């Protein structure tokens, strides 16, 4: 069983009645619910828990970490960020959702500002599948249509992705690389754009399917982390005469 931890700030849902009405159990609760139905072992963690809920024990028993953040990126402790980063480099999968593009962990792993254009107008988003043979796109039609979403537009300041799985078009005319994969160390990372807190995006069955597929794709490969530094020769080295 793949072990998933869903991390969420859990601030909007407690302080904004509009968000609470959409996600009464929190965004993390909604994501955890459909992942549980899909057969994963799921736990949740939130910003205001001790160590943000990401203790060494939790991370050591997490195969894939899902991250949603927005209004409190700056409150995430740098030591926790470094601990998560090391787990990713060691092989833990990481799925970064929506405004998590500005999270400390994503910026650290990308090495860029991760900035973009945005507009909150509740407009239509159409996510086109541009890598139909990729496992993250399994079971998804040619495009996913979301009636109301926040717009993210190019340029998206990230390194060149290993793969772009989805590209979004918005009713206002913008486009955006909305599903991107990266490899860092032994770990696999997937950034997935949809998920503004005031819209019911995580109830959308095709959005759920993408996240389910991404968890399966991002699970760790069973191998040890490479050993670096000074190395003894594997064969006897003959000294030069």
């Amino acid at each position: 069983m793949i072990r998933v931890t869903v991390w969420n700030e859990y601030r909007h849902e407690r302080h904004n009645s509009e968000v609470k009405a959409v996600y009464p159990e929190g965004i993390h609760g909604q994501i955890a619910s459909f992942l549980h139905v899909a057969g994963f072992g799921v736990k949740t963690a939130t910003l205001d828990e001790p160590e943000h809920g990401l203790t060494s024990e939790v991370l050591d028993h997490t195969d894939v970490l899902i991250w949603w953040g927005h209004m409190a990126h700056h409150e995430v402790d740098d030591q926790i960020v470094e601990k998560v980063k090391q787990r990713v480099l060691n092989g833990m999968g990481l799925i970064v959702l929506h405004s998590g593009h500005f999270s400390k962990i994503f910026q650290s792993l990308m090495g860029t500002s991760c900035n973009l254009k945005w507009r909150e107008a509740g407009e239509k988003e159409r996510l086109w599948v541009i890598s139909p043979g990729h496992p993250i796109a399994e079971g998804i039609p040619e495009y996913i249509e979301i009636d109301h979403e926040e717009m993210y537009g190019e340029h998206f300041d990230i390194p060149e992705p290993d793969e772009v799985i989805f590209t979004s078009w918005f009713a206002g005319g913008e486009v955006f690389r909305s599903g991107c994969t990266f490899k860092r160390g032994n770990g696999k990372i997937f950034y997935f754009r949809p998920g503004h807190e005031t819209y019911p995006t995580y109830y959308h069955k095709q959005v759920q399917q993408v996240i389910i597929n991404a968890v399966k794709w991002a699970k760790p490969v069973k191998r040890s982390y490479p050993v670096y530094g000074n190395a003894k020769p594997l064969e006897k080295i003959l000294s030069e005469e």
Side-chain angles (χ1 to χ4, degrees), residues 102-238:
F102 264 155
S103 64
K104 288 182 178 181
I105 182 60
F106 191 63
Q107 288 181 324
S108 178
L109 287 163
M110 295 299 104
T112 58
S113 74
C114 303
N115 215 336
L116 45 80
K117 295 180 177 68
W118 63 273
R119 177 177 59 247
E120 189 179 345
E123 60 202 272
K124 179 189 294 184
E125 175 180 9
R126 192 170 288 145
L127 293 102
W128 287 92
V129 177
I130 61 170
S131 184
H134 197 281
I136 294 178
E138 184 174 351
I140 304 300
E142 285 191 321
Y143 61 85
I144 299 171
E145 191 158 306
I146 302 174
D147 291 335
H148 304 288
E149 252 295 353
E150 179 181 21
M151 183 280 292
Y152 280 6
E154 294 287 349
H155 175 251
F156 188 13
D157 185 23
I158 53 175
E160 191 68 28
D162 294 329
E163 304 155 306
V164 180
I165 315 302
F166 303 98
T167 297
S168 287
W169 166 89
F170 293 89
E174 291 83 4
V175 296
F176 191 76
R177 290 167 290 169
S178 287
C180 303
T181 70
F182 307 87
K183 293 183 180 71
R184 295 291 184 271
N186 280 13
K188 291 177 281 187
I189 302 165
F190 178 57
Y191 172 77
F192 191 43
R193 197 218 70 82
H196 186 65
E197 66 273 7
T198 59
Y199 305 122
T201 302
Y202 295 122
Y203 295 92
H204 194 298
K205 293 300 182 182
Q206 292 168 346
V207 170
Q208 293 179 3
Q209 188 61 56
V210 170
I211 296 172
I212 290 168
N213 292 346
V215 168
K216 296 176 181 177
W217 170 85
K219 69 179 182 181
V221 173
K222 294 183 179 179
R223 70 178 308 276
S224 59
Y225 191 65
V227 176
Y228 297 107
N230 186 267
K232 294 181 180 181
L234 297 177
E235 311 291 344
K236 184 176 179 180
I237 300 174
L238 299 177

Side-chain angles (χ1 to χ4, degrees), residues 11-21 197-198:
R11 290 287 180 81
H12 290 291
E13 303 94 316
R14 289 187 290 141
H15 303 299
N16 185 315
S17 59
E18 183 180 2
V19 179
K20 186 176 182 178
E197 66 273 7
T198 59

